[in-house]
Amino acid sequence: MDSKLIFAIVTITLALVVYTIGVFGERKAGILAKKHVIIFWLGLVCDTIGTLTMGAIAKSAEAVASPLHGITGFIAIVLMLFHAGWATWVLYKGDASKKQSFHKFSIVVWAIWLIPYFIGMYIGMR
């Protein structure tokens, strides 16, 4: 297995682990905190690095990409960016009610993020 592919798999899986810890840590805490926001940004960075690496591999191999994977992956990264940005804004504003209800949005973004993750896993196993 190519070292670039291993790097991409590890960084995307690290994004899954980090993002899951952030989302469910926030849910368990019952309130959005600075550490959760940092974890959301870290998850986004890991996912972006892994996705860009996978994209470079796909271009160099001239592989046929799955349009569904590309579309859902793009939507997931945009949602993660919006999620991390909004979390930062909510924390900055200090609105207690928004900080307590933010986990509902976090779960939705996390669930949507899983779609391209599992599509990519399926494509990789074929």
Side-chain angles (χ1 to χ4, degrees), residues 40-61:
F40 296 154
W41 283 107
L42 182 60
L44 175 63
V45 168
C46 290
D47 190 42
T48 302
I49 290 169
T51 300
L52 291 173
T53 305
M54 284 284 191
I57 292 168
K59 281 183 183 177
S60 68

Side-chain angles (χ1 to χ4, degrees), residues 85-119:
W86 190 22
T88 303
W89 181 253
V90 167
L91 196 64
Y92 172 75
K93 285 298 199 180
D95 185 333
S97 66
K98 286 185 178 149
K99 286 173 25 178
Q100 287 179 333
S101 63
F102 194 82
H103 70 274
K104 295 173 187 174
F105 181 61
S106 296
I107 294 288
V108 171
V109 172
W110 176 82
I112 292 169
W113 185 87
L114 289 176
I115 295 168
Y117 181 84
F118 286 116
I119 290 172

Side-chain angles (χ1 to χ4, degrees), residues 60-76:
S60 68
E62 296 181 18
V64 177
S66 162
L68 179 63
H69 184 56
I71 291 167
T72 59
F74 176 76
I75 290 169

